[in-house]
Amino acid sequence: MAGSAISRIRLPRAAAQPTPPLLENRERIRPRRERADTQAASSQLAVALGRRKWSILAFAVVGGVLAALVGLVRPVMFEATSQLIIDPPARSSLAPGGSSAQDLIDSSIDDHITMLSSQGHLRRVATALHKVEGSTPGQGASKTGISRPGPGPAPKSAFAAGILERLWPQSAQAAVDSDLKLLRNRTRIGQELRSRIISVAFADEDPVRAATVANTFAQVYVDELAKKRQAEDRLELDAVVANLPRVQTDLVAATDRLEKYRLSHGAVDQGSADSAARERADLSQQISMSKADLAAMESRLQHIHDLRKENAPVASLADALGTPELADLAARQASAPADKDLSTAIANEIEQGVARVEAEVNTYRAQVGALEDRKNVLDAVAADTATRLSGLRALEPQVSLLTQRYNELLSRQQDLMRRIGAPSAGVSILSPAWPPAKPQTLPPIFLVPPGMVAFAILGAVFVLVRNRFNRTLRGEVETEAALRIPCIGLIPDPGKMHMKQLRELVLGESRSAYSRAVTSLLVAAAPNQARMRSPHTIFVTSSLREDGANELAWSLALAATRLGGPVLLIDLERAHHQLTQEFLHQRSGPKALRSFGDFISNRCSLEDAVATMPEAGVDLMTVAPSEDLLRLLARADSLECRDELQAAYGLVIINGPPGLAGPEARFLTNWADAILFAIRWSRTPRNTARAVLDLLQRDGAISVPTGSVLTGVNLKRHAKYQFGDSADLLFAKLP
């Protein structure tokens, strides 16, 4: 070691090199693992459950024991069932094209189940049960309203209930409410498949009492429905009896009006009206035919007159008149045109023919007139008949309707009287309940498997939730993912050790897991010092004092002695760790006259600030408790001090203060060639470690290669996590 007490020797410095990128600096220690190497979520869950399998098994055992205790404590329940059957719907209630019979049955079943479960029915059942017992509700009644049959000592539950009743007396209303609650909880009502049958089941410790309550439940419902229907029928019967005299009076009055009309207007039937109508139709047809013949004859007569005015030939007149004699006369005149007698005969024949045609026309006219007169008479007769029939038809329906209404009321009265005499509820008891022989509750042994399964699932959920909310760091991969820096090693937990034991563990037991882990970590953190013997400075820091940075620094210093060359450990904690205190007490070399503050302030040489222990091979420099470390580091020339230290020592290890203690650790990053960040395995919160790393960063990045180290690792517990990292190699025993 070389140095001056007054002025520090100026060592030649190499040209300043640009700071390499963060990734390159970190890769000088070891590249970070990719997240793709992490285990699948399912395998992590399986590992977490397998690691806590004994806890889950304990949960299952506790669940089985609790289920068995519950099975032993709970009473043995017997369930009795009574069956009700609903009357089928009447055909008159089925509307054409409407709901089917099954729909009506389903609707009726829903109504009955709702009424059976109603609060009013439960109160009626409770009242009936209390009447059967002969006590008032809430006073000496059993929990189901019926006392246990037969003499015998009172059960313990009844004795305890009596004590509670004397200590905290309940009101009658509260007792009734408790009975209703118990009755509701122990009663089961449901439909049997899609049939018209409703089952009413009740569970109780006594099978006889269970059957009694079930039968009472069904019988009270049937009786109540019968009473309601009987009351409704009585009201309807009263209304029918009240309406009968009025309907009868209206019927008598309508009948009198009908008879009076018949007597005053004569008896007219539908047959007479139909005959008159047919005769009128025939007469109308005859009038139409006669008018057609009349029109034809008038047209013929007019044609003849037109021929005579035009002096048409006799042959044309003969054709129009249709007279053969006139045609013969016309032929003879053609052969003797000068015959006057023949002309006179032709003229007479024409006059006679015209007279005959005119007579026929007059005949048709007289016939049409006679037919029309007859038609007018028939129209008058038809109008009179229609008037009498309309009045008759207006009175007859009134009499028919009143007669039908009166008969319906009489029939309804008889039906209601029959139903009141034999009331029907529309529901009947198909099968009464019998005391069951087999209990409803399963034996306690059958509750053990479900209890064990349920509590095993509960234990698994508890383990997974606890594992999910565990925010500490345990594996290398999750440490790198949380801190975003490489994790270069895991250090087993050596326990609480003294300096001599630690030196023996690191140097004497080179094949131990702890020695191998520390040596591997040293080679990874200071590869230059291990290979090329060039000076190297390692800065060891942590989040908290309990994270194991002191043990890590001393272990690295002791392991570095195996590589050869002088080793210096700088302990910058004011409250010296136990290992540092033991080193100072056990040293056999020269005592340090000055401290780290004197050295970096250029008030002493390096030799005066260092305490040596030749048998350990490690030199120590400490800081005085009264020194302001932050002020010293802020004013010191870090590069000059580091060069002087590396000129004298092959490896310098700086044990810095915890990151949460202050900002001093940030100044020390310029002193180091590598930074080791100690994290207590399964104890240091990841958010705390991340926050301390953020404090060490400058402009969002650390310019010095930085790696994390998990300290205090329990190798047996760590192996159960199956992370597949370097701890598995440490846990394996060497041959």
Side-chain angles (χ1 to χ4, degrees):
M1 293 180 289
S4 173
I6 302 300
S7 62
R8 182 170 291 112
I9 298 177
R10 302 290 179 177
L11 298 177
R13 296 183 182 177
Q17 298 293 331
T19 302
L22 176 61
L23 181 61
E24 295 180 0
N25 290 334
R26 289 180 176 178
E27 287 181 350
R28 277 191 260 167
I29 294 181
R30 183 181 57 76
R32 286 175 54 191
R33 297 174 175 85
E34 297 294 335
R35 291 293 291 173
D37 296 337
T38 58
Q39 294 175 325
S42 58
S43 62
Q44 291 180 358
L45 293 178
V47 169
L49 294 177
R51 186 174 55 87
R52 294 289 184 177
K53 59 181 180 296
W54 297 113
S55 300
I56 298 175
L57 181 61
F59 268 88
V61 172
V62 171
V65 172
L66 291 178
L69 292 178
V70 170
L72 293 174
V73 171
R74 67 172 183 167
V76 179
M77 304 296 289
F78 294 86
E79 186 179 74
T81 304
S82 176
Q83 291 180 330
L84 300 174
I85 185 169
I86 310 300
D87 294 345
R91 292 186 177 181
S92 58
S93 61
L94 297 177
S99 301
S100 62
Q102 186 61 42
D103 294 338
L104 292 178
I105 291 175
D106 294 340
S107 177
S108 178
I109 289 289
D110 294 339
D111 294 340
H112 285 293
I113 291 177
T114 303
M115 290 188 291
L116 282 167
S117 306
S118 64
Q119 187 78 5
H121 180 64
L122 293 178
R123 289 184 180 276
R124 288 190 292 271
V125 173
T127 303
L129 293 174
H130 286 299
K131 288 181 180 179
V132 172
E133 185 185 15
S135 62
T136 58
Q139 298 180 1
S142 65
K143 57 186 174 180
T144 58
I146 301 178
S147 59
R148 288 184 177 273
K156 295 181 180 180
S157 59
F159 179 73
I163 295 177
L164 293 176
E165 178 66 24
R166 287 192 295 271
L167 292 176
W168 294 284
Q170 294 181 338
S171 61
Q173 183 63 33
V176 171
D177 293 339
S178 63
D179 291 343
L180 294 179
K181 182 178 179 181
L182 185 62
L183 192 62
R184 183 184 300 106
N185 293 336
R186 293 192 177 186
T187 305
R188 181 177 56 83
I189 304 171
Q191 179 185 8
E192 298 287 347
L193 300 178
R194 287 180 59 84
S195 64
R196 294 183 289 110
I197 299 175
I198 298 176
S199 60
V200 178
F202 184 80
D204 195 82
E205 295 90 340
D206 186 1
V208 177
R209 182 167 53 194
T212 303
V213 174
N215 290 330
T216 304
F217 203 97
Q219 189 63 46
V220 168
Y221 182 69
V222 174
D223 295 342
E224 184 65 22
L225 284 184
K227 290 180 181 179
K228 286 184 178 180
R229 290 200 173 187
Q230 189 178 31
E232 293 174 357
D233 292 341
R234 288 185 184 278
L235 292 176
E236 188 176 357
L237 179 61
D238 294 340
V240 170
V241 172
N243 288 332
L244 272 175
R246 181 177 57 80
V247 175
Q248 185 178 11
T249 302
D250 295 340
L251 178 60
V252 171
T255 305
D256 292 342
R257 288 194 300 270
L258 178 61
E259 293 300 329
K260 288 179 181 180
Y261 186 85
R262 286 178 176 176
L263 292 176
S264 60
H265 292 78
V268 180
D269 56 357
Q270 186 65 35
S272 301
D274 294 341
S275 298
R278 286 194 297 271
E279 184 179 357
R280 184 177 178 278
D282 294 340
L283 187 60
S284 298
Q285 185 177 5
Q286 292 178 9
I287 291 173
S288 299
M289 294 175 63
S290 298
K291 286 183 178 181
D293 293 340
L294 176 61
M297 292 303 296
E298 288 178 345
S299 176
R300 179 182 176 189
L301 180 61
Q302 184 65 33
H303 180 62
I304 293 172
H305 287 310
D306 292 340
L307 290 176
R308 291 183 67 183
K309 290 178 181 179
E310 295 174 357
N311 295 320
V314 178
S316 299
L317 289 174
D319 292 337
L321 291 174
T323 305
E325 291 80 2
L326 185 58
D328 291 339
L329 292 175
R332 289 168 59 189
Q333 186 182 16
S335 60
D339 190 356
K340 294 181 179 181
D341 295 333
L342 189 59
S343 299
T344 302
I346 290 173
N348 292 333
E349 190 65 30
I350 291 173
E351 291 296 335
Q352 291 178 1
V354 171
R356 288 195 300 271
V357 172
E358 289 178 352
E360 290 180 3
V361 170
N362 292 332
T363 301
Y364 278 115
R365 286 177 180 173
Q367 185 179 359
V368 169
L371 292 175
E372 287 180 350
D373 293 339
R374 177 61 180 169
K375 182 177 179 296
N376 293 332
V377 173
L378 289 178
D379 289 341
V381 173
D384 180 65
T385 303
T387 302
R388 288 185 291 171
L389 282 177
S390 62
L392 187 63
R393 289 175 178 175
L395 294 174
E396 285 180 347
Q398 297 180 6
V399 176
S400 299
L401 291 175
L402 290 173
T403 303
Q404 182 180 1
R405 175 62 177 165
Y406 184 73
N407 293 333
E408 289 178 354
L409 289 177
L410 289 177
S411 177
R412 186 61 178 169
Q413 182 184 17
Q414 295 176 359
D415 185 44
L416 290 174
M417 292 176 65
R418 178 183 57 80
R419 289 170 56 178
I420 291 173
S424 175
V427 180
S428 59
I429 297 178
L430 177 65
S431 175
W434 289 86
K438 294 183 179 180
Q440 178 194 22
T441 55
L442 295 174
I445 190 63
F446 288 98
L447 298 178
V448 173
M452 294 183 67
V453 172
F455 270 74
I457 295 175
L458 180 63
V461 172
F462 174 76
V463 168
L464 294 178
V465 170
R466 183 180 178 185
N467 184 70
R468 176 66 178 82
F469 286 96
N470 187 355
R471 306 305 299 171
T472 59
L473 298 172
R474 290 166 296 186
E476 292 183 355
V477 176
E478 66 176 356
T479 302
E480 293 182 357
L483 303 182
R484 297 189 292 274
I485 59 174
C487 181
I488 61 175
L490 297 92
I491 305 300
D493 186 11
K496 191 173 181 61
M497 304 184 69
H498 300 287
M499 176 58 71
K500 183 177 180 180
Q501 297 171 338
L502 181 62
R503 186 170 61 249
E504 179 64 24
L505 180 62
V506 175
L507 301 178
E509 302 177 9
S510 59
R511 300 172 66 87
S512 65
Y514 189 85
S515 179
R516 285 185 290 152
V518 172
T519 305
S520 300
L521 178 62
L522 176 64
V523 173
N528 295 334
Q529 204 275 341
R531 299 174 184 175
M532 297 177 290
R533 302 294 180 180
S534 60
H536 204 81
T537 302
I538 300 176
F539 174 43
V540 180
T541 185
S542 62
S543 302
L544 304 171
R545 183 179 176 86
E546 296 80 10
D547 286 345
N550 295 282
E551 293 85 350
L552 176 61
W554 276 106
S555 300
L556 291 174
L558 293 174
T561 58
R562 299 176 58 187
L563 302 178
V567 180
L568 174 63
L569 174 63
I570 303 176
D571 191 354
L572 299 182
E573 288 195 6
R574 294 188 181 89
H576 298 318
H577 191 264
Q578 174 189 355
L579 296 176
T580 302
Q581 295 177 1
E582 291 180 358
F583 181 88
L584 295 175
H585 293 159
Q586 296 175 6
R587 70 186 184 281
S588 59
K591 179 180 179 181
L593 301 178
R594 298 297 181 92
S595 63
F596 175 77
D598 296 330
F599 169 69
I600 65 175
S601 299
N602 203 16
R603 294 194 297 266
C604 70
S605 63
L606 181 60
E607 294 179 352
D608 295 337
V610 173
T612 61
M613 181 181 284
E615 60 272 17
V618 178
D619 293 345
L620 175 65
M621 182 187 297
T622 60
V623 62
S626 59
E627 293 178 341
D628 187 358
L629 183 59
L630 179 61
R631 183 178 180 182
L632 294 174
L633 294 175
R635 294 183 177 182
D637 187 351
S638 59
L639 296 178
E640 183 179 349
C641 294
R642 186 182 66 177
D643 292 343
E644 185 173 353
L645 292 174
Q646 291 182 352
Y649 293 94
L651 179 63
V652 178
I653 299 176
I654 302 175
N655 181 23
L660 292 180
E664 293 87 351
R666 185 167 183 176
F667 287 98
L668 292 172
T669 57
N670 293 331
W671 292 61
D673 298 315
I675 299 176
L676 297 182
F677 189 69
I679 302 169
R680 193 70 173 180
W681 180 83
S682 190
R683 183 178 299 179
T684 303
R686 61 180 64 188
N687 56 347
T688 303
R690 182 67 251 175
V692 173
L693 278 177
D694 292 339
L695 293 177
L696 295 178
Q697 291 178 350
R698 295 177 179 176
D699 299 330
I702 302 177
S703 58
V704 181
T706 305
S708 60
V709 180
L710 292 174
T711 62
V713 180
N714 188 330
L715 295 180
K716 291 184 178 180
R717 288 179 56 193
H718 187 86
K720 296 179 180 179
Y721 289 104
Q722 299 182 10
F723 288 135
D725 48 21
S726 59
D728 296 339
L729 300 176
L730 297 176
F731 186 67
K733 295 182 179 180
L734 296 178

